[in-house]
Amino acid sequence: MEDCLMDVRQRNEQYTWIPAFKAIADWIVDYEDKQEELVNILAKTGITKGLEDEYIEEEKKEALKEIDPFTFFCCFYEIWS
């Protein structure tokens, strides 16, 4: 049992991003019906890639109004890489 606990502690020290992503996951729940605000938050932090819908037939772009939590997280990956 002690070996198991030691392994979990070592893993937690190795993956320091886990608490940050857990906090973001807990925070994002409150934005289920406020997706346009999530898009605005990303734009304010300087993340602009992928925040437009493209209408190929009409050749125009429009700001996103909806974003799912997975896409929100992916935008963070883009800025960190």
Side-chain angles (χ1 to χ4, degrees):
M1 181 69 167
E2 184 64 33
D3 290 340
C4 251
L5 289 175
M6 182 86 101
D7 187 46
V8 169
R9 285 188 205 112
Q10 288 172 341
R11 204 174 315 138
N12 285 343
E13 290 172 9
Q14 187 178 14
Y15 300 109
T16 57
W17 53 268
I18 292 174
F21 277 74
K22 169 90 171 84
I24 294 168
D26 292 341
W27 168 81
I28 204 169
V29 170
D30 294 332
Y31 283 83
E32 181 178 1
D33 297 322
K34 300 184 269 183
Q35 295 178 23
E36 196 165 356
E37 284 183 47
L38 284 177
V39 174
N40 292 334
I41 289 168
L42 291 173
K44 286 178 185 175
T45 60
I47 299 171
T48 56
K49 184 178 178 183
L51 297 184
E52 295 178 329
D53 274 334
E54 293 185 29
Y55 299 99
I56 297 171
E57 317 80 51
E58 301 169 19
E59 295 184 17
K60 70 176 188 175
K61 293 183 178 184
E62 190 175 293
L64 284 181
K65 293 185 174 84
E66 296 178 355
I67 190 168
D68 64 89
F70 299 109
T71 303
F72 187 84
F73 274 96
C74 285
C75 290
F76 282 154
Y77 299 142
E78 288 291 321
I79 202 166
W80 288 337
S81 58

